[in-house]
Each structure stands twice: as structure tokens, then as C-alpha cells.
């Protein structure tokens, strides 16, 4: 059974940083494109960072230069370092493959106060 377990969220001030982690089990992690997604209240879920099996990253313009995705294939874990956070980054953050395939985990709440 596939499990995706996100952690590391919290409440930070505008300009702060957080590091999210996602531990995957039940998949051949090292062969998968992975992604971090977020969903803010009333909005659709969106991809905020992607990473290939060989750690080539992708970022949309909204987070480029502020977010850094990385992975540790030995630990079946993907990370998201978020710096210079803004109130508009407030959302529940999830990981999944890219494109998405598996059932979503519970996500981790990130709240950025102004």
C-alpha cells in the first residue's frame, strides 16, 4: 500500500522559512518524478515544485528563487525548503508523483502571517 506522509509545516512570519519533508512507502521511489503541491482555501491544488529521479528540479514562477526541492532516494524522502515565505504561500502542502497518481496524504499546513 502506498503511503505519502508529509511533515514540517507550521506558522511562520512573513519572510520566514520552513522545511517540509515527505516520506514515501510502497513505491519504487528512486524511479519516480516527485512533486510538492499546495492547496489554499477556495483554490485548486497546484504544483509548486517538481524533481526528477536524478534530482533535476522544476519550479513555477510563483516560487522560483524562494523554494528548493530535493530528494534522498536512500530514505524515500522528498524535501521542500521554503524561504522568503509570503502570506500568499499559506496553504496545505502535499507531495505526490508528478504527474499525480497516488492517493493524497494528509498534507501539512503552512501558515504565513503578515
Amino acid at each position: 500500500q502506498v503511503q505519502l506522509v508529509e511533515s514540517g509545516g507550521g506558522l511562520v512570519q512573513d519572510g520566514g522559512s520552513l522545511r517540509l519533508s515527505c516520506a514515501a512507502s510502497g513505491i519504487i521511489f528512486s524511479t519516480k518524478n516527485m512533486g510538492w503541491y499546495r492547496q489554499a482555501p477556495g483554490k485548486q491544488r497546484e504544483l509548486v515544485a517538481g524533481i526528477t529521479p536524478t534530482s533535476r528540479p522544476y519550479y513555477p514562477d510563483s516560487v522560483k528563487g524562494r523554494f528548493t526541492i530535493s530528494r534522498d532516494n536512500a530514505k524515500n524522502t522528498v524535501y521542500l525548503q521554503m524561504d522568503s515565505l509570503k502570506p500568499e504561500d499559506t496553504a496545505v502542502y502535499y507531495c505526490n508523483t508528478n504527474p499525480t497518481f497516488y492517493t493524497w496524504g494528509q498534507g501539512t499546513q503552512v501558515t504565513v502571517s503578515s
Side-chain angles (χ1 to χ4, degrees):
Q1 184 176 356
V2 175
Q3 279 196 312
L4 300 167
V5 180
E6 301 92 349
S7 62
L11 172 64
V12 296
Q13 291 188 332
D14 192 350
S17 297
L18 282 173
R19 188 188 192 214
L20 308 183
S21 299
C22 170
S25 59
I27 62 174
I28 306 175
F29 180 83
S30 62
T31 68
K32 305 294 185 185
N33 288 312
M34 296 299 296
W36 279 98
Y37 303 79
R38 68 185 179 190
Q39 187 167 23
K43 295 188 177 181
Q44 288 191 331
R45 196 162 353 213
E46 62 175 344
L47 177 72
V48 295
I51 189 166
T52 69
T54 56
S55 294
R56 187 173 61 190
Y58 161 79
Y59 308 99
D61 288 344
S62 58
V63 307
K64 197 173 292 183
R66 300 189 299 120
F67 289 9
T68 304
I69 190 171
S70 61
R71 66 190 297 160
D72 185 336
N73 288 338
K75 295 182 178 180
N76 285 5
T77 301
V78 60
Y79 304 97
L80 186 67
Q81 176 67 40
M82 305 187 295
D83 298 314
S84 302
L85 282 162
K86 305 175 181 181
E88 52 263 43
D89 295 317
T90 295
V92 180
Y93 285 70
Y94 304 86
C95 72
N96 209 313
T97 53
N98 179 26
T100 62
F101 185 79
Y102 298 104
T103 300
W104 296 98
Q106 82 287 350
T108 187
Q109 175 71 48
V110 172
T111 303
V112 185
S113 64
S114 57

